[in-house]
Amino acid sequence: DGGITQSPKYLFRKEGQNVTLSCEQNLNHDAMYWYRQDPGQGLRLIYYSQIVNDFQKGDIAEGYSVSREKKESFPLTVTSAQKNPTAFYLCASKPGGYGEKLFFGSGTQLSVL
Amino acid sequence: GENVEQHPSTLSVQEGDSAVIKCTYSDSASNYFPWYKQELGKRPQLIIDIRSNVGEKKDQRIAVTLNKTAKHFSLHITETQPEDSAVYFCAARPMNYGGSQGNLIFGKGTKLSVKP
């Protein structure tokens, strides 16, 4: 579980500002995910990537963007188009193929100033 | 779209009692059902999982049961302890959600409080 590192732990965004959340893993996992967690809403999938240089939208991708230039890294940018960004963001990874167990990072709490 | 419903949203039990959390899923072809535990301020961690070809699985005080006909599965915790207090999430993996990797759909979580 310690193989996924998210930073920063807390992040504040101003109106109209884009912010980027970092996610790095050293587990050699092919697949990486970003989830948004709101109180009482469970985990909702924002974006996922099954392989380097490829990613797909999840259920709530609007206002977010990602990149996957390296296997180890899957940063998430929360753009100014995301009007309600305050949430706890979790990054996760799992082995390629049909690997099942998700390994989560420790999360980033994003708040709007 | 695919959906997983989880009940109850909050559950309070006395130490030593049992706790049961139930989930229903919409895609009858779902084939994998994990349960994650998230302690306050920490990351979710897998505590037990079950595949669609198995009806029940146990790991010490924790068990999961699956009823494919009714499309529901449940988490059972016996002899609860204060350290069991956390938010528990169920999830299901539908057949055609997330391409070849098979993504999970999560329930909204159950906050379990175990009173000493």
Short mmCIF file of all heavy atoms in Angstrom, two decimals, chain A residues 1 3-6 23-35 49 68 71-74 90-96 99-105, chain B residues 36 101 104:
data_model
loop_
_atom_site.label_atom_id
_atom_site.label_comp_id
_atom_site.label_asym_id
_atom_site.label_seq_id
_atom_site.Cartn_x
_atom_site.Cartn_y
_atom_site.Cartn_z
N ASP A 1 0.82 -1.20 0.00
CA ASP A 1 0.00 0.00 0.00
C ASP A 1 0.86 1.26 0.00
O ASP A 1 0.48 2.27 -0.57
CB ASP A 1 -0.92 0.02 1.23
CG ASP A 1 -1.96 -1.10 1.17
OD1 ASP A 1 -2.00 -1.80 0.13
OD2 ASP A 1 -2.69 -1.26 2.13
N GLY A 3 3.21 1.91 -1.69
CA GLY A 3 3.79 2.08 -2.99
C GLY A 3 3.13 3.15 -3.83
O GLY A 3 3.57 3.43 -4.91
N ILE A 4 2.05 3.78 -3.32
CA ILE A 4 1.40 4.87 -4.05
C ILE A 4 1.49 6.12 -3.21
O ILE A 4 1.07 6.11 -2.06
CB ILE A 4 -0.08 4.55 -4.33
CG1 ILE A 4 -0.18 3.32 -5.20
CG2 ILE A 4 -0.73 5.72 -5.02
CD1 ILE A 4 -1.60 3.00 -5.59
N THR A 5 2.03 7.16 -3.78
CA THR A 5 2.23 8.41 -3.07
C THR A 5 1.43 9.50 -3.74
O THR A 5 1.57 9.74 -4.95
CB THR A 5 3.71 8.80 -3.05
OG1 THR A 5 4.47 7.74 -2.44
CG2 THR A 5 3.92 10.08 -2.26
N GLN A 6 0.58 10.17 -2.96
CA GLN A 6 -0.16 11.31 -3.45
C GLN A 6 0.34 12.58 -2.77
O GLN A 6 0.64 12.58 -1.58
CB GLN A 6 -1.65 11.17 -3.16
CG GLN A 6 -2.35 10.15 -4.03
CD GLN A 6 -3.85 10.17 -3.82
OE1 GLN A 6 -4.44 9.19 -3.37
NE2 GLN A 6 -4.47 11.29 -4.16
N CYS A 23 0.24 11.86 -8.39
CA CYS A 23 0.11 10.46 -7.99
C CYS A 23 1.26 9.68 -8.60
O CYS A 23 1.42 9.67 -9.83
CB CYS A 23 -1.22 9.88 -8.45
SG CYS A 23 -1.40 8.12 -8.03
N GLU A 24 2.07 9.06 -7.74
CA GLU A 24 3.22 8.28 -8.19
C GLU A 24 3.15 6.90 -7.54
O GLU A 24 2.87 6.79 -6.36
CB GLU A 24 4.52 8.96 -7.77
CG GLU A 24 4.69 10.39 -8.26
CD GLU A 24 5.22 10.44 -9.69
OE1 GLU A 24 5.92 9.49 -10.10
OE2 GLU A 24 4.94 11.44 -10.39
N GLN A 25 3.44 5.84 -8.34
CA GLN A 25 3.47 4.49 -7.79
C GLN A 25 4.74 3.77 -8.21
O GLN A 25 5.22 3.96 -9.33
CB GLN A 25 2.21 3.70 -8.21
CG GLN A 25 1.92 3.63 -9.70
CD GLN A 25 2.38 2.35 -10.37
OE1 GLN A 25 2.94 1.45 -9.75
NE2 GLN A 25 2.13 2.26 -11.68
N ASN A 26 5.26 2.95 -7.30
CA ASN A 26 6.45 2.17 -7.59
C ASN A 26 6.15 0.68 -7.52
O ASN A 26 7.03 -0.14 -7.22
CB ASN A 26 7.59 2.55 -6.64
CG ASN A 26 7.25 2.31 -5.19
OD1 ASN A 26 6.20 1.74 -4.88
ND2 ASN A 26 8.13 2.72 -4.30
N LEU A 27 4.90 0.33 -7.81
CA LEU A 27 4.45 -1.06 -7.75
C LEU A 27 4.51 -1.75 -9.11
O LEU A 27 4.13 -2.91 -9.23
CB LEU A 27 3.01 -1.10 -7.21
CG LEU A 27 2.83 -0.51 -5.82
CD1 LEU A 27 1.34 -0.34 -5.50
CD2 LEU A 27 3.51 -1.39 -4.78
N ASN A 28 4.94 -1.00 -10.12
CA ASN A 28 5.00 -1.52 -11.49
C ASN A 28 3.62 -1.93 -12.00
O ASN A 28 3.49 -2.85 -12.81
CB ASN A 28 5.97 -2.72 -11.60
CG ASN A 28 6.39 -2.96 -13.04
OD1 ASN A 28 6.52 -2.04 -13.83
ND2 ASN A 28 6.59 -4.23 -13.38
N HIS A 29 2.60 -1.22 -11.53
CA HIS A 29 1.24 -1.50 -11.97
C HIS A 29 0.95 -0.81 -13.29
O HIS A 29 1.36 0.32 -13.53
CB HIS A 29 0.23 -1.01 -10.92
CG HIS A 29 0.17 -1.89 -9.71
ND1 HIS A 29 -0.52 -1.52 -8.58
CD2 HIS A 29 0.71 -3.10 -9.45
CE1 HIS A 29 -0.42 -2.48 -7.68
NE2 HIS A 29 0.34 -3.45 -8.19
N ASP A 30 0.20 -1.52 -14.16
CA ASP A 30 -0.15 -0.94 -15.44
C ASP A 30 -1.31 0.05 -15.33
O ASP A 30 -1.33 1.09 -15.98
CB ASP A 30 -0.54 -2.04 -16.43
CG ASP A 30 0.67 -2.86 -16.87
OD1 ASP A 30 1.71 -2.25 -17.16
OD2 ASP A 30 0.56 -4.09 -16.93
N ALA A 31 -2.31 -0.29 -14.54
CA ALA A 31 -3.54 0.49 -14.49
C ALA A 31 -3.52 1.49 -13.33
O ALA A 31 -3.11 1.14 -12.21
CB ALA A 31 -4.75 -0.43 -14.36
N MET A 32 -3.97 2.69 -13.59
CA MET A 32 -4.07 3.71 -12.56
C MET A 32 -5.41 4.41 -12.67
O MET A 32 -5.98 4.51 -13.77
CB MET A 32 -2.91 4.71 -12.66
CG MET A 32 -1.55 4.06 -12.42
SD MET A 32 -0.19 5.23 -12.32
CE MET A 32 -0.48 5.98 -10.71
N TYR A 33 -5.90 4.92 -11.53
CA TYR A 33 -7.25 5.47 -11.44
C TYR A 33 -7.26 6.73 -10.58
O TYR A 33 -6.47 6.86 -9.65
CB TYR A 33 -8.19 4.45 -10.77
CG TYR A 33 -8.25 3.12 -11.48
CD1 TYR A 33 -7.26 2.16 -11.29
CD2 TYR A 33 -9.31 2.82 -12.33
CE1 TYR A 33 -7.32 0.94 -11.94
CE2 TYR A 33 -9.38 1.59 -12.98
CZ TYR A 33 -8.38 0.66 -12.78
OH TYR A 33 -8.43 -0.55 -13.43
N TRP A 34 -8.22 7.60 -10.89
CA TRP A 34 -8.53 8.71 -10.01
C TRP A 34 -9.99 8.63 -9.61
O TRP A 34 -10.89 8.50 -10.48
CB TRP A 34 -8.28 10.06 -10.70
CG TRP A 34 -6.87 10.51 -10.60
CD1 TRP A 34 -5.92 10.51 -11.57
CD2 TRP A 34 -6.24 11.08 -9.44
NE1 TRP A 34 -4.74 11.02 -11.10
CE2 TRP A 34 -4.90 11.37 -9.79
CE3 TRP A 34 -6.67 11.36 -8.15
CZ2 TRP A 34 -4.00 11.94 -8.89
CZ3 TRP A 34 -5.77 11.91 -7.26
CH2 TRP A 34 -4.45 12.20 -7.63
N TYR A 35 -10.22 8.70 -8.28
CA TYR A 35 -11.57 8.70 -7.74
C TYR A 35 -11.80 10.00 -6.96
O TYR A 35 -10.89 10.53 -6.34
CB TYR A 35 -11.78 7.54 -6.78
CG TYR A 35 -11.85 6.19 -7.44
CD1 TYR A 35 -10.71 5.41 -7.59
CD2 TYR A 35 -13.07 5.69 -7.92
CE1 TYR A 35 -10.77 4.16 -8.20
CE2 TYR A 35 -13.13 4.45 -8.54
CZ TYR A 35 -11.98 3.69 -8.66
OH TYR A 35 -12.04 2.46 -9.26
N SER A 49 -6.44 4.87 -16.54
CA SER A 49 -5.44 4.60 -17.58
C SER A 49 -4.99 3.15 -17.45
O SER A 49 -4.62 2.70 -16.38
CB SER A 49 -4.25 5.54 -17.42
OG SER A 49 -3.17 5.13 -18.24
N ARG A 68 -0.66 10.50 -18.90
CA ARG A 68 0.04 9.27 -18.46
C ARG A 68 1.27 9.11 -19.35
O ARG A 68 1.37 8.24 -20.21
CB ARG A 68 -0.88 8.05 -18.61
CG ARG A 68 -0.27 6.77 -18.04
CD ARG A 68 -0.46 6.61 -16.58
NE ARG A 68 0.24 5.50 -15.99
CZ ARG A 68 -0.22 4.24 -15.96
NH1 ARG A 68 -1.35 3.92 -16.56
NH2 ARG A 68 0.48 3.31 -15.35
N LYS A 71 4.80 5.27 -16.74
CA LYS A 71 4.05 4.21 -16.08
C LYS A 71 3.82 4.54 -14.61
O LYS A 71 2.78 4.21 -14.04
CB LYS A 71 4.81 2.89 -16.20
CG LYS A 71 4.05 1.68 -15.70
CD LYS A 71 4.83 0.41 -15.98
CE LYS A 71 4.02 -0.81 -15.61
NZ LYS A 71 4.75 -2.07 -15.92
N GLU A 72 4.77 5.22 -13.99
CA GLU A 72 4.72 5.45 -12.56
C GLU A 72 3.83 6.63 -12.17
O GLU A 72 3.49 6.79 -11.01
CB GLU A 72 6.12 5.74 -12.01
CG GLU A 72 7.18 4.70 -12.37
CD GLU A 72 7.71 4.88 -13.77
OE1 GLU A 72 7.87 6.03 -14.22
OE2 GLU A 72 7.96 3.86 -14.44
N SER A 73 3.48 7.48 -13.12
CA SER A 73 2.87 8.75 -12.77
C SER A 73 1.54 8.97 -13.49
O SER A 73 1.42 8.71 -14.70
CB SER A 73 3.84 9.88 -13.14
OG SER A 73 3.30 11.13 -12.86
N PHE A 74 0.56 9.50 -12.75
CA PHE A 74 -0.77 9.74 -13.34
C PHE A 74 -1.35 11.00 -12.69
O PHE A 74 -2.25 10.95 -11.84
CB PHE A 74 -1.67 8.53 -13.07
CG PHE A 74 -2.97 8.52 -13.83
CD1 PHE A 74 -3.05 8.94 -15.15
CD2 PHE A 74 -4.13 8.07 -13.22
CE1 PHE A 74 -4.24 8.90 -15.86
CE2 PHE A 74 -5.35 8.02 -13.92
CZ PHE A 74 -5.39 8.45 -15.23
N LEU A 90 -8.73 10.46 -4.44
CA LEU A 90 -7.95 9.25 -4.22
C LEU A 90 -7.42 8.71 -5.54
O LEU A 90 -8.16 8.57 -6.51
CB LEU A 90 -8.82 8.17 -3.57
CG LEU A 90 -9.09 8.32 -2.07
CD1 LEU A 90 -10.28 7.47 -1.66
CD2 LEU A 90 -7.86 7.96 -1.27
N CYS A 91 -6.15 8.41 -5.54
CA CYS A 91 -5.50 7.76 -6.67
C CYS A 91 -5.36 6.28 -6.32
O CYS A 91 -5.17 5.92 -5.15
CB CYS A 91 -4.14 8.37 -6.92
SG CYS A 91 -3.21 7.64 -8.29
N ALA A 92 -5.45 5.41 -7.31
CA ALA A 92 -5.32 3.98 -7.07
C ALA A 92 -4.64 3.32 -8.26
O ALA A 92 -4.60 3.88 -9.36
CB ALA A 92 -6.69 3.34 -6.83
N SER A 93 -4.10 2.14 -8.02
CA SER A 93 -3.49 1.39 -9.11
C SER A 93 -3.74 -0.09 -8.90
O SER A 93 -4.09 -0.53 -7.79
CB SER A 93 -1.99 1.67 -9.18
OG SER A 93 -1.31 1.06 -8.10
N LYS A 94 -3.59 -0.86 -9.98
CA LYS A 94 -3.64 -2.31 -9.86
C LYS A 94 -2.85 -2.93 -11.00
O LYS A 94 -2.59 -2.27 -12.00
CB LYS A 94 -5.08 -2.82 -9.83
CG LYS A 94 -5.87 -2.71 -11.14
CD LYS A 94 -7.26 -3.29 -10.88
CE LYS A 94 -8.15 -3.16 -12.11
NZ LYS A 94 -7.91 -4.19 -13.10
N PRO A 95 -2.48 -4.19 -10.83
CA PRO A 95 -1.70 -4.84 -11.90
C PRO A 95 -2.48 -4.88 -13.20
O PRO A 95 -3.70 -4.75 -13.22
CB PRO A 95 -1.48 -6.25 -11.34
CG PRO A 95 -1.65 -6.12 -9.88
CD PRO A 95 -2.67 -5.05 -9.68
N GLY A 96 -1.80 -5.09 -14.29
CA GLY A 96 -2.44 -5.15 -15.60
C GLY A 96 -3.25 -6.41 -15.79
O GLY A 96 -3.38 -7.22 -14.88
N GLY A 99 -6.19 -8.01 -13.18
CA GLY A 99 -5.84 -7.92 -11.78
C GLY A 99 -6.95 -7.27 -11.00
O GLY A 99 -7.60 -6.35 -11.49
N GLU A 100 -7.15 -7.68 -9.79
CA GLU A 100 -8.35 -7.29 -9.07
C GLU A 100 -8.13 -6.29 -7.94
O GLU A 100 -8.88 -5.32 -7.83
CB GLU A 100 -9.04 -8.55 -8.54
CG GLU A 100 -9.58 -9.43 -9.66
CD GLU A 100 -10.08 -10.76 -9.18
OE1 GLU A 100 -9.55 -11.28 -8.18
OE2 GLU A 100 -10.98 -11.32 -9.83
N LYS A 101 -7.13 -6.51 -7.12
CA LYS A 101 -6.99 -5.69 -5.92
C LYS A 101 -6.51 -4.29 -6.27
O LYS A 101 -5.48 -4.10 -6.91
CB LYS A 101 -6.02 -6.33 -4.94
CG LYS A 101 -5.83 -5.54 -3.65
CD LYS A 101 -4.87 -6.23 -2.70
CE LYS A 101 -4.65 -5.39 -1.45
NZ LYS A 101 -3.70 -6.06 -0.52
N LEU A 102 -7.29 -3.28 -5.81
CA LEU A 102 -6.89 -1.89 -5.97
C LEU A 102 -6.04 -1.46 -4.77
O LEU A 102 -6.38 -1.75 -3.63
CB LEU A 102 -8.13 -0.99 -6.02
CG LEU A 102 -8.83 -0.76 -7.35
CD1 LEU A 102 -10.05 0.11 -7.15
CD2 LEU A 102 -7.90 -0.15 -8.38
N PHE A 103 -4.96 -0.76 -5.08
CA PHE A 103 -4.11 -0.19 -4.04
C PHE A 103 -4.32 1.33 -4.09
O PHE A 103 -4.14 1.96 -5.13
CB PHE A 103 -2.64 -0.51 -4.31
CG PHE A 103 -2.30 -1.96 -4.17
CD1 PHE A 103 -2.62 -2.86 -5.18
CD2 PHE A 103 -1.67 -2.44 -3.03
CE1 PHE A 103 -2.33 -4.21 -5.06
CE2 PHE A 103 -1.36 -3.78 -2.90
CZ PHE A 103 -1.69 -4.66 -3.92
N PHE A 104 -4.69 1.91 -2.95
CA PHE A 104 -5.02 3.32 -2.91
C PHE A 104 -3.87 4.15 -2.32
O PHE A 104 -3.12 3.68 -1.46
CB PHE A 104 -6.26 3.56 -2.06
CG PHE A 104 -7.54 3.19 -2.74
CD1 PHE A 104 -8.08 1.92 -2.60
CD2 PHE A 104 -8.23 4.12 -3.51
CE1 PHE A 104 -9.26 1.57 -3.23
CE2 PHE A 104 -9.42 3.78 -4.15
CZ PHE A 104 -9.94 2.51 -4.01
N GLY A 105 -3.78 5.39 -2.80
CA GLY A 105 -2.94 6.37 -2.16
C GLY A 105 -3.62 6.94 -0.94
O GLY A 105 -4.77 6.58 -0.63
N TYR B 36 -14.04 -2.80 0.90
CA TYR B 36 -12.93 -1.97 1.36
C TYR B 36 -13.30 -1.32 2.67
O TYR B 36 -14.44 -0.91 2.90
CB TYR B 36 -12.59 -0.90 0.32
CG TYR B 36 -11.83 -1.43 -0.87
CD1 TYR B 36 -12.48 -2.05 -1.92
CD2 TYR B 36 -10.44 -1.32 -0.93
CE1 TYR B 36 -11.78 -2.56 -2.99
CE2 TYR B 36 -9.72 -1.81 -2.01
CZ TYR B 36 -10.40 -2.44 -3.03
OH TYR B 36 -9.70 -2.93 -4.10
N GLN B 101 -9.95 -4.09 -18.54
CA GLN B 101 -9.46 -4.05 -17.16
C GLN B 101 -10.54 -4.33 -16.15
O GLN B 101 -10.27 -4.76 -15.05
CB GLN B 101 -8.83 -2.68 -16.88
CG GLN B 101 -7.54 -2.45 -17.63
CD GLN B 101 -6.41 -3.28 -17.08
OE1 GLN B 101 -6.34 -3.53 -15.89
NE2 GLN B 101 -5.51 -3.73 -17.93
N LEU B 104 -14.36 -1.04 -11.17
CA LEU B 104 -15.30 -1.26 -10.07
C LEU B 104 -16.30 -0.12 -9.97
O LEU B 104 -15.98 1.03 -10.25
CB LEU B 104 -14.55 -1.37 -8.75
CG LEU B 104 -13.57 -2.53 -8.58
CD1 LEU B 104 -12.82 -2.38 -7.27
CD2 LEU B 104 -14.32 -3.85 -8.63
#
